[in-house]
Amino acid sequence: MNKIITLFAILNCLVKVTLAQSSYFMTFHSDKNEKPFDVIEDSNHDILAVGIRDIDDSQEDSYNGMIWKIAANGDTLSRVYSFGDTSIYFNYIEQRGESYYIIGTSFIPPLFEDSKLEVLQLDSDLNVLSKRTIVDRNSYMMIDNKIRKLGDNYYLLGMEETDSCNYDIVIKLSEDFSLNNFYRIWEKRCKLMDCLLSPDSNQFWLFTAGYNEEFGPELSVFDTSMNFIQLKNFPYKLWPGTGDLETGYLRNLTVKWYTDTTFLVICNHEQTYNNGDILVQELGASVMDSSLSLVPVHYFSNPDTIDYAGFMTNQDFITTDEIFFCGNKNVIAMFYPPFPSWIIAGKLNNQLESEYVNYFGGDAYYRTHSIKATSDGGSIIIGKRYDHLTQNYEWDVTFLKLNSEGLITDTKYLPCHITDKAWIYPNPADSYLNIESTYSSGEVRIY
C-alpha cells in the first residue's frame, strides 16, 4: 500500500519555481560554533553575511572569520578565513564596485590580549586582495558588531580592557577606512547599542544601556570631538497609586532616522499588567525626537512568552513606507536552550501600522541577529540555530529570506531527501498529484 511521505524536501528537487528573487529558510550546518554579525545584498542580488567560527567564545585562539553566501541562482558557499596563528572575526561587510570590504577584529598570540582592527578587500570570488591594520592596541579590544556609516565616516562601538580598567570606546574611521580617531568614553562597561548624528550633524548621539542602571537606556550627547555634553534618560510610565512599572524601554535598541527631526526606535520593552502582577518583555516600536518625550509604543508580540527585538540590528528600511523588523519569540536565558523559539518577522507602514507579523521556526531554538531590506521589496534576516536533540554545544547560521508579503514561496534550496524511495507525478502538476512511496509513515507538506 502506498504511503504519504514528507513531501516538502522532495518537491524541492523536482519542481522548479521561478521568482524575481528566491525566498527561503536555510541553515548552514557545521560541527563548529558559528554566528553571523552583518549581512548585505550585493549588486547581483546575492546575499552575503560575515561573522565568526570558533570553539568557544572565550577561546580567542580558535577565532576564524567567516563568510556565508547565497547566490541569486541558489548556489551556496561558506568560507573560513585564517591568518596563521592570528585569530580574527568579521564584524562588517559592504560592496564597492567589484570588491567587498570587511572590517574585522584580530587577536595576537601568545596571550591573545593584544588586538588589532583590520580591513580586508576581497574580489568577487571572495579571495583576499589586501589586508591592512588600521588600529593596533596593546589591550583586549572588542567591537560590539555595531558599525554605522554616518555621513562620510564610520563609527564602531565597542569596549577595551586594560590591566587597570575597562573602557567603552568609539572608533571613528574615514570613508577610506583609515583611522580618524579613537575615543575612550567611560571608565566602565555599559552596553553601546546604537548611534546617530544630530540633524545638523554637529552632535554625536550614543544610545547606551547600563550607564544609569536605575532608569534603563540613555541617550548620551557628545560634540563631534566626542566631548560629553549631556545624558538623557529614556522615558517610562508607572501605574498610578502603586508605583509599579507600567511600561519602559529596555535593551536591544536600534535607531534610524524616520523624518528630518525624529527617529524610529525598536527595542525590548518591559511592561506589567494587572497593576504589576504580570511582568513581560515585548517587542515594540515608537517614533521619538531628542527630547525623548513619552510617546505611544506600538507592540507586536503577545504576553505569553518573553519576546526580544533582534540582538544586533532589528530594523531596516529603504523608505519609511516599508519598515522591516525582526525579533525572537520565547527567549530563554540559557547558552544552549533545550526549548524551541521562533523568529519574528514583520513589516510596518509609515504610520507604524502592522502590514504583517509572521513567525518562523519552532523546531529548534533560534536567535535573531540582524535584518536588511532587499531590493525586491522583501527582507533578509540572519541569526543562529541550536537544536539540543541533534547538536553538540554549538550554533549554526540561519538565513530567512522573505518576499514583499513576508512569505517563503520558494523552498528549492532546502536539502533534498533521497528520492529513490518515492515517486511524485505528474510534475509539473495542475489539478492533482500522485505520490507513491515505500516509507511506512510520514506526512505531506505542500508549499
Side-chain angles (χ1 to χ4, degrees):
M1 179 179 180
N2 296 334
K3 301 293 184 179
I4 296 175
I5 64 166
T6 302
L7 180 59
F8 68 99
I10 295 175
L11 285 179
N12 296 338
C13 303
L14 302 177
V15 180
K16 181 178 180 181
V17 182
T18 301
L19 298 171
Q21 283 192 30
S22 298
S23 53
Y24 42 80
F25 194 8
M26 186 192 312
T27 297
F28 285 76
H29 294 283
S30 169
D31 60 354
K32 296 294 192 297
N33 188 49
E34 299 180 353
K35 49 185 175 289
F37 295 143
D38 192 30
V39 63
I40 62 167
E41 176 194 9
D42 71 7
S43 57
N44 295 319
H45 307 296
D46 300 337
I47 301 298
L48 295 94
V50 295
I52 186 173
R53 166 187 278 193
D54 60 30
I55 297 174
D56 184 88
D57 289 351
S58 63
Q59 298 184 34
E60 286 82 7
D61 60 345
S62 70
Y63 287 4
N64 290 119
M66 284 287 296
I67 293 182
W68 301 267
K69 179 179 179 180
I70 304 176
N73 65 3
D75 293 340
T76 62
L77 171 70
S78 61
R79 180 171 291 187
V80 183
Y81 292 79
S82 178
F83 301 95
D85 58 356
T86 300
S87 294
I88 191 168
Y89 68 95
F90 296 158
N91 306 87
Y92 174 87
I93 182 172
E94 71 173 38
Q95 184 185 29
R96 293 187 184 182
E98 297 300 318
S99 296
Y100 301 102
Y101 288 85
I102 293 173
I103 299 177
T105 306
S106 66
F107 300 91
I108 312 302
L111 299 178
F112 294 92
E113 293 177 349
D114 296 342
S115 51
K116 301 176 184 286
L117 200 64
E118 318 270 12
V119 171
L120 285 73
Q121 180 186 4
L122 277 59
D123 63 20
S124 58
D125 294 322
L126 305 184
N127 301 307
V128 177
L129 297 176
S130 65
K131 174 176 169 289
R132 62 188 176 101
T133 299
I134 51 177
V135 178
D136 190 349
R137 305 291 288 184
N138 186 24
S139 61
Y140 185 85
M141 177 179 62
M142 295 285 288
I143 303 303
D144 280 343
N145 307 304
K146 297 292 181 70
I147 300 180
R148 302 292 188 249
K149 178 79 178 293
L150 305 176
D152 296 329
N153 298 291
Y154 298 86
Y155 294 83
L156 288 63
L157 311 183
M159 57 84 65
E160 181 183 30
E161 293 182 3
T162 67
D163 293 337
S164 59
C165 193
N166 295 344
Y167 297 90
D168 289 319
I169 58 173
V170 176
I171 301 174
K172 185 178 179 181
L173 305 180
S174 300
E175 196 168 22
D176 62 354
F177 298 109
S178 61
L179 178 63
N180 185 302
N181 223 320
F182 185 103
Y183 303 100
R184 285 176 169 174
I185 305 300
W186 294 296
E187 294 183 6
K188 65 178 296 184
R189 180 65 173 132
C190 301
K191 178 65 175 176
L192 309 186
M193 295 185 293
D194 215 336
C195 59
L196 289 174
L197 292 181
S198 61
D200 58 9
S201 298
N202 290 328
Q203 293 179 340
F204 177 74
W205 295 355
L206 183 61
F207 295 83
T208 62
Y211 184 83
N212 188 341
E213 297 178 359
E214 181 179 356
F215 297 100
E218 311 94 10
L219 168 57
S220 301
V221 181
F222 300 82
D223 64 22
T224 53
S225 297
M226 296 304 293
N227 298 304
F228 178 74
I229 298 175
Q230 63 177 321
L231 181 77
K232 299 182 178 182
N233 294 305
F234 265 71
Y236 60 92
K237 184 178 180 182
L238 302 177
W239 284 100
T242 67
D244 295 325
L245 180 71
E246 178 180 339
T247 184
Y249 293 76
L250 199 56
R251 61 176 67 88
N252 291 358
L253 185 145
T254 299
V255 295
K256 283 177 67 72
W257 281 112
Y258 186 70
T259 68
D260 291 340
T261 57
T262 62
F263 50 87
L264 176 63
V265 179
I266 297 183
C267 66
N268 305 349
H269 291 264
E270 195 167 56
Q271 188 172 30
T272 53
Y273 296 89
N274 299 330
N275 289 321
D277 291 341
I278 303 175
L279 176 66
V280 297
Q281 294 185 28
E282 295 187 354
L283 170 61
S286 57
V287 174
M288 308 180 75
D289 58 26
S290 60
S291 68
L292 298 187
S293 302
L294 187 65
V295 296
V297 178
H298 299 253
Y299 294 106
F300 310 110
S301 49
N302 300 311
D304 56 345
T305 60
I306 295 177
D307 302 329
Y308 276 10
F311 282 78
M312 295 174 187
T313 302
N314 57 51
Q315 60 162 303
D316 194 39
F317 51 83
I318 299 173
T319 72
T320 56
D321 292 330
E322 296 180 326
I323 301 169
F324 300 92
F325 67 90
C326 66
N328 285 93
K329 181 177 180 62
N330 197 34
V331 173
I332 299 169
M334 298 174 65
F335 287 110
Y336 301 99
F339 306 102
S341 69
W342 290 260
I343 295 175
I344 303 174
K347 185 170 81 168
L348 312 174
N349 62 22
N350 56 16
Q351 301 299 313
L352 300 192
E353 298 168 335
S354 176
E355 297 289 328
Y356 61 75
V357 179
N358 295 329
Y359 298 83
F360 299 89
D363 59 329
Y365 190 84
Y366 292 89
R367 183 164 292 175
T368 307
H369 284 194
S370 297
I371 186 170
K372 185 76 68 173
T374 52
S375 59
D376 64 341
S379 63
I380 179 72
I381 297 172
I382 58 172
K384 57 184 184 179
R385 178 186 189 272
Y386 174 71
D387 183 356
H388 75 284
L389 297 176
T390 62
Q391 293 178 251
N392 295 319
Y393 292 135
E394 45 82 13
W395 294 83
D396 292 328
V397 172
T398 292
F399 288 73
L400 175 58
K401 174 66 181 72
L402 301 176
N403 67 5
S404 60
E405 298 176 338
L407 301 175
I408 302 173
T409 56
D410 181 5
T411 58
K412 65 181 179 180
Y413 303 141
L414 292 172
C416 294
H417 288 183
I418 298 173
T419 59
D420 59 359
K421 299 290 183 66
W423 299 266
I424 303 173
Y425 60 93
N427 180 20
D430 185 11
S431 58
Y432 67 94
L433 189 68
N434 294 309
I435 305 170
E436 297 180 6
S437 172
T438 59
Y439 284 106
S440 60
S441 65
E443 63 180 1
V444 171
R445 298 181 187 179
I446 298 178
Y447 293 82

